[in-house]
Amino acid sequence: LQTRLQAGQGYGNTLNCVLTVYRNESVAGFFKGMSFPLASIAVYSSVVFGVFSNTQRLLSQLRHGDASHAPVLADVALASMVAGFVSVGIGTPVDLVKIRLQMQTQPYITANNKLKPTVPGFPMYRGPIHCFRTVLQKEGIAGIYRGVGAMLLRDVPGYCLYFIPYTFFCGWITPDGCISPNPSSVWLAGGVAGVISWGTATPMDVVKSRLQADGVYLNKYKGILDCILQSYQNEGLKVFFRGITVNAVRGFPMSSAMFLGYELSLKAMKRDQTETNP
């Protein structure tokens, strides 16, 4: 839904998008492009949370001489930015394949354009591997990393507004005297952080989706700035908030699950280390 609303044509709102996708593509339409993200989500999340955690520990070691020292706000912000930067290297190709598969049957409407290499409505890609291979062969590494600039502008500040609110809310919700937050605090703080992060990242998420969807049938945008200008001129300021409801709604449960898994995994590993090295 998010991709269709941000880069597709003819969807008035979220409900209309749901009904249109179901009417034209049945239930299967809601799961297009799912396999590639599903196969890579474990690696992606491990890298992001691992980079964030280890960067925090390194900064605490350099600043206080103790890796286990509670990080200050500046350390959390810097660790978040590093995690966001690293995540783009893994996330850009995955997002590109997902968006190309989701958008390949959408009608492409543009003025004064006579060249249409492939007729919209007929799939160009047979699956994620075929999509990845086709883009790589036709466009090279630059094609696989199409939209990387927009993704950097989305994820670097986006992860700051992901980890910083989480750290703040966890500290605020956790009762005094507790060494670590309880699962309910983690769940709530993670969900709120997800809503904040995805909500504020939506404008650049729209630009990224449009850049990555561009090229399924033809190339309309020359870059980030051109995409922003064309989108604004054609559809106004509201275009940059397309899909914000979907982003916010999915952000809560997704982020709650992520942070809960992260914190529980850390606790389990610390317990194992304590038992192994009493």
Side-chain angles (χ1 to χ4, degrees):
L1 296 180
Q2 170 211 7
T3 302
R4 302 289 180 91
L5 287 167
Q6 292 177 344
Q9 299 283 348
Y11 303 113
N13 52 50
T14 304
L15 180 59
N16 178 255
C17 183
V18 171
L19 295 175
T20 303
V21 171
Y22 180 75
R23 184 168 54 250
N24 295 337
E25 304 169 55
S26 74
V27 177
F30 297 105
F31 296 93
K32 276 188 175 178
M34 183 183 71
S35 58
F36 215 46
L38 193 62
S40 60
I41 187 64
V43 175
Y44 178 85
S45 299
S46 297
V47 169
V48 169
F49 279 87
V51 168
F52 171 73
S53 180
N54 284 297
T55 303
Q56 274 196 143
R57 289 174 59 83
L58 176 61
L59 292 172
S60 292
Q61 179 68 44
L62 293 174
R63 187 186 295 273
H64 305 288
D66 180 11
S68 61
H69 190 280
V72 297
L73 181 61
D75 292 348
V76 177
L78 183 56
S80 302
M81 293 172 67
V82 173
F85 186 84
V86 171
S87 74
V88 172
I90 302 172
T92 303
V94 174
D95 267 20
L96 180 103
V97 171
K98 179 195 73 172
I99 287 174
R100 290 289 178 92
L101 289 172
Q102 290 173 341
M103 295 300 298
Q104 63 176 337
T105 57
Q106 297 301 293
Y108 201 104
I109 301 172
T110 183
N112 301 320
N113 182 28
K114 297 179 181 179
L115 180 61
K116 293 188 178 182
T118 303
V119 179
F122 293 88
M124 177 183 287
Y125 310 114
R126 295 191 296 269
I129 302 302
H130 179 252
C131 177
F132 184 89
R133 189 170 63 244
T134 301
V135 174
L136 188 61
Q137 289 173 348
K138 291 184 176 181
E139 305 174 47
I141 296 296
I144 291 297
Y145 279 90
R146 185 177 181 84
V148 66
M151 198 158 180
L152 276 170
L153 292 173
R154 184 197 74 173
D155 283 4
V156 172
Y159 273 111
C160 286
L161 293 172
Y162 190 59
F163 288 112
I164 292 175
Y166 170 74
T167 303
F168 171 78
F169 282 114
C170 259
W172 182 53
I173 297 171
T174 303
D176 293 336
C178 291
I179 299 175
S180 60
N182 57 52
S184 60
S185 297
V186 171
W187 180 85
L188 183 58
V192 172
V195 172
I196 293 171
S197 177
W198 274 109
T200 53
T202 296
M204 196 50 62
D205 192 41
V206 170
V207 175
K208 181 208 67 96
S209 295
R210 292 190 163 208
L211 286 171
Q212 292 185 324
D214 193 38
V216 176
Y217 302 114
L218 47 90
N219 291 322
K220 183 179 179 182
Y221 306 116
K222 297 176 183 177
I224 297 173
L225 184 59
D226 184 51
C227 179
I228 292 172
L229 291 175
Q230 284 197 49
S231 298
Y232 177 74
Q233 288 169 359
N234 295 332
E235 301 169 70
L237 189 62
K238 65 180 181 181
V239 68
F240 300 108
F241 296 93
R242 279 190 177 182
I244 190 169
T245 303
V246 175
N247 276 343
V249 169
R250 78 165 185 171
F252 192 98
M254 183 177 71
S255 299
S256 293
M258 288 280 194
F259 277 109
L260 192 57
Y262 169 69
E263 293 288 359
L264 292 177
S265 297
L266 284 181
K267 283 185 179 181
M269 287 186 285
K270 288 177 181 178
R271 185 168 58 249
D272 289 343
Q273 287 178 352
T274 303
E275 291 174 355
T276 306
N277 302 305

